């Protein structure tokens, strides 16, 4: 060994140990990064270099029976941010303010919040977004979405319903069939480029969105527009509180129009009274009055306790019935059963029903669907009110025969009359024709459904003949519902409303149910006016006129 080596040996050794330790530390660290924490760091790198972008699916649309669109999807943009990641807060707030015209401090307040995530703007149109779409701010996100638009505006608004800001159905068909209308979102992986913008590259993982299913309703938007126009007109003419209308095909149970007024524009539903949003034909029940007399008529004819030509003394219009006094709207003397229905005599009907009895009346009312839901495919339907016989008083037989002490919906009334019009078959009302998926495949369809048979064809024919006389013959209460060139059959109804536990002398329900042509009914209509002023409170003066139009 040279003197020089001996002189620097300790230093060389120390340096070698230092280098060896350094390499050992680097090796250990490298091992830690590449082996022990590889997944963790890899995830961080991917998170910084890549972004998973959600691809929104189109919400399915709703159409009428002739494929006329009742909904559309309009593109809009949502601006959001993760405040802790945004460094250029003032610049971003200024840029958004410049495009929207709103105070930049509104955005600065959100960007300076402690929240993990904030919405800066929603429902922006593309022209408003402008150049903001091409600018890049860390922690800032622009998401393309779809907003619901209703091209028919107030037409069928209660039935169609509406969606919230997240495009989720919260009313009507939009709500009840939300799971069908909502699609499945897709996604794409975008890679960060040299300018900091995320872009889709060839071969990037990708899953396309699946659009929601389209729904075709049974309604005809032309019928719907007509009935809404007439309801609005008649409500205004009679100063009624509200009006309800239903048009059905009595042979199939398909609903061609379902309306109530006041209505609203579901593009601006938040500006309207929530009471106008419900589907009154299924959610509101009332005592119908004389339109319920067909139940008594059917019970009497099925039970064969009364024949059409059997006569009854109508007591010249006043009849003490246990502890109440029953009156007719005119002073009738002797009427046969057919004339009792034609002239809507309360006294004559009560006397006929005393021969039939409560059991047959209750059974017929239940068989025609009263006191139970119709099972229409819409939420919120009431079952109505039909007390069991054990809860009846001694005047209940007469009161129920006249359409009191019961609660019905417009849909129940329509369904019951459908059973008369189609030969005795109670059918389930249909509102959905079919649902079609993104491949144009039918995944759901509602076909005509018979619930039960009521009596023989002969009974239906007899009832139709009586209802035809109500409209077509002199003295019939439904003369003003007659339509020139058509054989209309129907029945008027007038009922006092209950106020503070007793029947009011000022508040009434005016209603009419009719169908045509009487020989082979294809259309059935129900019109109800809630609290029209006198003399329009009579079914013949209020609802019947709206039907004829």
């Amino acid at each position: 060994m040279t003197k020089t080596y001996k002189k620097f040996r300790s230093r060389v050794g120390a340096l070698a140990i230092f280098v060896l330790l350094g390499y050992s530390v680097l090796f250990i660290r490298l091992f830690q990064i590449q082996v022990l924490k590889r997944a963790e760091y890899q995830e961080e790198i991917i998170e910084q270099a890549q972004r998973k972008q959600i691809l929104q699916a189109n919400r399915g649309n709703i159409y009428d029976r002739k494929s006329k669109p009742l909904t559309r999807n309009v593109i809009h943009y949502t601006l959001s941010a993760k405040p802790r990641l945004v460094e250029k807060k003032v610049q971003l707030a200024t840029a958004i303010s410049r495009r929207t015209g709103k105070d930049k401090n509104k955005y600065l307040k959100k960007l300076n919040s402690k929240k993990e995530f904030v919405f800066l703007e929603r429902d922006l149109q593309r022209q408003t977004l402008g150049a903001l779409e091409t600018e890049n701010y860390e922690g800032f996100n622009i998401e393309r979405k779809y907003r619901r638009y209703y091209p028919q505006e107030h037409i069928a608004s209660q039935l169609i319903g509406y969606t919230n800001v997240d495009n989720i159905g919260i009313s009507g068909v939009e709500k009840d069939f939300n799971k069908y209308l909502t699609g499945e979102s897709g996604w794409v992986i975008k890679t960060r480029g040299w300018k900091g913008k995320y872009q889709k590259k060839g071969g990037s993982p990708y899953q396309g969105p699946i659009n929601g299913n389209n729904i075709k309703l049974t309604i005809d938007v032309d019928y719907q527009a007509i009935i809404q126009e007439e309801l609005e007109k008649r409500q205004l003419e009679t100063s009624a509180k509200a009006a309800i209308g239903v048009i059905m095909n009595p042979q199939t149970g398909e609903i061609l129009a379902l309306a109530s007024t006041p209505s609203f524009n579901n593009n601006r539903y938040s500006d309207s009274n929530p009471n106008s949003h419900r589907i009154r034909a299924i959610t509101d029940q009332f005592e119908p009055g004389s339109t319920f007399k067909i139940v008594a008529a059917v019970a009497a004819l099925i039970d064969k306790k009364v024949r059409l030509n059997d006569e009854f003394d109508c007591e010249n219009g006043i009849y003490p019935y246990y502890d109440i006094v029953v009156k007719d709207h005119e002073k009738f003397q002797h009427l046969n059963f057919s004339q009792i229905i034609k002239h809507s005599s309360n006294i004559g009907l009560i006397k006929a029903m005393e021969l039939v009895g409560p059991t047959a009346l209750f059974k017929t009312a239940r068989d025609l669907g009263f006191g139970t839901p119709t099972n229409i495919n819409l939420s919120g339907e009431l079952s109505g009110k039909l007390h069991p016989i054990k809860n009846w008083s001694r005047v209940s037989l007469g009161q129920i025969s006249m359409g009191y002490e019961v609660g019905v919906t417009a849909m129940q009334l329509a369904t019951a009359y459908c059973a008369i019009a189609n030969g005795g078959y109670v059918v389930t009302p249909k509102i959905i024709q079919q649902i079609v998926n993104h491949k144009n495949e039918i995944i759901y369809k509602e076909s005509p459904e018979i619930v039960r048979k009521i009596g023989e064809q002969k009974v239906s024919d007899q009832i139709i003949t009586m209802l035809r006389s109500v409209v077509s013959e002199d003295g019939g209460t439904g003369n003003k519902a007659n339509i020139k060139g058509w054989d209309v059959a129907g029945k008027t109804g007038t009922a006092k409303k209950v106020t503070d536990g007793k029947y009011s002398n000022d508040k009434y329900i005016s209603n009419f149910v009719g169908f045509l042509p009487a020989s082979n009914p294809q259309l059935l209509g129900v019109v109800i006016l809630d609290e029209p002023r006198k003399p329009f409170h009579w079914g013949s003066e209020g609802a019947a006129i709206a039907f004829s139009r």
Side-chain angles (χ1 to χ4, degrees):
M1 294 184 183
T2 64
K3 290 180 179 182
T4 303
Y5 174 76
K6 288 179 179 180
K7 180 179 179 181
F8 293 104
R9 182 171 60 181
S10 60
R11 295 182 182 180
V12 172
L15 181 61
I17 293 172
F18 179 78
V19 172
L20 186 61
L21 286 173
Y23 274 108
S24 298
V25 169
L26 287 173
F27 177 78
I28 292 170
R29 181 59 177 158
L30 205 58
F31 181 78
Q32 183 185 40
I33 292 172
Q34 293 192 345
V35 180
L36 300 180
K37 292 190 175 183
R38 180 186 178 191
E40 180 182 337
Y41 287 120
Q42 190 175 38
E43 189 176 330
E44 285 186 21
I45 292 170
I46 291 173
E47 186 176 342
Q48 292 175 12
Q50 295 182 339
R51 174 182 292 175
K52 184 177 183 179
Q53 181 179 331
I54 300 300
L55 303 176
Q56 296 290 334
N58 282 341
R59 185 173 177 84
N61 279 306
I62 303 171
Y63 301 86
D64 85 333
R65 67 186 299 109
K66 295 178 180 176
S67 298
K68 291 182 179 179
L70 304 176
T71 63
R72 284 181 182 155
N73 295 310
V74 178
I75 297 174
H76 69 104
Y77 295 85
T78 296
L79 311 185
S80 62
K82 294 181 179 179
R84 65 181 181 84
L85 299 180
V86 180
E87 295 181 356
K88 301 177 180 179
K89 291 182 169 62
V90 175
Q91 293 93 321
L92 176 57
T94 302
I96 299 174
S97 173
R98 193 179 297 122
R99 298 306 309 171
T100 64
K102 298 179 181 178
D103 188 352
K104 73 175 182 181
N105 290 320
K106 169 190 172 182
Y107 306 113
L108 270 176
K109 184 178 179 181
K110 292 184 176 183
L111 291 171
N112 288 322
S113 73
K114 301 296 182 181
K115 293 181 179 179
E116 184 66 25
F117 177 88
V118 293
F119 284 110
L120 299 172
E121 278 293 348
R122 287 184 169 188
D123 204 21
L124 284 184
Q125 300 302 307
R126 179 140 200 180
Q127 57 266 33
T128 303
L129 191 65
L132 193 61
E133 190 176 11
T134 62
E135 298 179 21
N136 183 48
Y137 294 92
E138 188 68 29
F140 172 62
N141 185 54
I142 300 174
E143 188 176 4
R144 175 175 167 169
K145 290 189 173 184
Y146 295 92
R147 175 177 58 82
R148 210 58 153 170
Y149 173 69
Y150 302 95
Q152 305 294 337
E153 297 187 338
H154 69 288
I155 302 299
S157 55
Q158 293 105 337
L159 174 61
I160 299 168
Y162 44 83
T163 61
N164 61 15
V165 293
D166 295 316
N167 219 20
I168 297 172
I170 56 175
S171 173
V173 172
E174 291 276 33
K175 174 187 175 184
D176 293 341
F177 292 85
N178 187 66
K179 68 176 182 180
Y180 287 100
L181 292 164
T182 303
E184 296 180 22
S185 297
W187 51 266
V188 62
I189 300 298
K190 290 188 173 182
T191 304
R192 194 170 190 172
W194 65 276
K195 286 187 176 181
K197 290 194 67 176
Y198 290 92
Q199 299 173 331
K200 181 182 181 298
K201 295 185 177 180
S204 296
Y206 168 83
Q207 181 172 306
I210 299 175
N211 293 332
N213 305 297
N214 293 326
I215 297 178
K216 181 181 282 191
L217 303 179
T218 59
I219 70 164
D220 185 314
V221 76
D222 295 326
Y223 284 179
Q224 184 75 29
I226 291 170
I227 195 171
Q228 283 194 217
E229 181 182 350
E230 292 304 330
L231 289 178
E232 289 168 359
K233 182 179 179 181
R234 200 61 181 148
Q235 182 185 354
L236 184 64
E237 291 170 343
T238 64
S239 303
K241 180 179 175 181
I244 303 171
V246 180
I247 300 177
M248 291 179 68
N249 180 335
Q251 307 298 332
T252 65
E254 288 184 307
I255 297 169
L256 304 177
L258 187 65
S260 63
T261 58
S263 185
F264 70 102
N265 184 339
N266 40 13
N267 291 306
R268 300 189 300 273
Y269 66 86
S270 60
D271 297 337
S272 58
N273 188 333
N275 284 331
S276 66
H277 296 185
R278 67 182 185 271
I279 305 173
R280 291 179 182 268
I282 64 172
T283 64
D284 291 19
Q285 68 179 33
F286 57 94
E287 290 182 313
S290 295
T291 48
F292 199 79
K293 286 177 179 175
I294 63 152
V295 179
V298 172
L301 295 177
I302 288 179
D303 209 42
K304 298 181 180 179
K305 295 288 180 65
V306 177
R307 292 170 299 183
L308 295 181
N309 292 325
D310 289 349
E311 286 195 355
F312 298 87
D313 183 2
C314 296
E315 307 288 347
N316 209 31
I318 299 178
Y319 178 54
Y321 181 59
Y322 296 106
D323 53 351
I324 65 172
V325 176
V326 178
K327 296 181 180 180
D328 279 338
H329 61 94
E330 290 185 33
K331 295 179 179 181
F332 300 114
Q333 294 181 353
H334 285 83
L335 297 174
N336 63 33
F337 190 64
S338 182
Q339 291 170 331
I340 286 170
I341 299 301
K342 171 185 170 181
H343 296 292
S344 201
S345 169
N346 295 327
I347 297 170
L349 189 69
I350 288 175
K351 288 192 173 185
M353 290 314 295
E354 288 290 340
L355 299 176
V356 177
T359 301
L361 179 62
F362 177 83
K363 182 180 184 302
T364 303
R366 182 69 79 180
D367 286 347
L368 283 169
F370 295 106
T372 59
T374 65
N375 291 324
I376 185 174
N377 213 339
L378 293 170
S379 63
E381 183 184 19
L382 296 183
S383 59
K385 180 181 70 175
L386 180 64
H387 295 303
I389 297 175
K390 65 180 181 179
N391 295 337
W392 289 17
S393 69
R394 59 182 179 173
V395 299
S396 291
L397 176 64
Q399 290 282 69
I400 292 172
S401 300
M402 295 186 295
Y404 286 96
E405 290 190 21
V406 291
V408 308
T409 65
M411 189 56 62
Q412 287 176 324
L413 208 53
T415 303
Y417 272 78
C418 280
I420 302 301
N422 65 27
Y425 296 95
V426 176
V427 292
T428 301
K430 301 297 180 186
I431 196 64
I432 303 296
Q433 192 175 94
Q434 64 184 29
I435 301 178
V436 179
N437 67 12
H438 66 288
K439 297 179 181 178
N440 207 31
E441 299 168 336
I442 298 174
I443 61 172
Y444 178 83
K445 188 173 185 178
E446 288 189 354
S447 301
E449 180 184 347
I450 297 173
V451 179
R452 66 182 70 87
K453 181 79 166 67
I454 303 295
E456 301 173 357
Q457 179 71 46
K458 180 182 177 181
V459 172
S460 293
D461 291 342
Q462 290 173 325
I463 299 292
I464 290 173
T465 299
M466 288 190 284
L467 295 179
R468 176 68 183 132
S469 70
V470 170
V471 176
S472 65
E473 295 182 6
D474 291 340
T477 59
N479 285 164
K480 292 184 178 179
N482 208 10
I483 302 173
K484 189 176 181 179
W486 291 93
D487 294 332
V488 178
K491 186 73 187 75
T492 56
T494 306
K496 293 181 177 182
K497 293 183 69 174
V498 175
T499 304
D500 298 326
K502 60 183 180 180
Y503 286 108
S504 170
N505 290 320
D506 301 311
K507 297 180 179 180
Y508 292 82
I509 291 290
S510 169
N511 62 107
F512 181 85
V513 187
F515 49 84
L516 57 89
S519 57
N520 182 25
Q522 297 299 313
L523 291 176
L524 180 143
V526 177
V527 177
I528 297 160
L529 301 178
D530 185 8
E531 297 185 18
R533 74 176 190 273
K534 294 180 180 180
F536 304 112
H537 67 296
W538 296 110
S540 58
E541 299 293 333
I545 292 174
F547 176 91
S548 68
R549 291 172 174 173

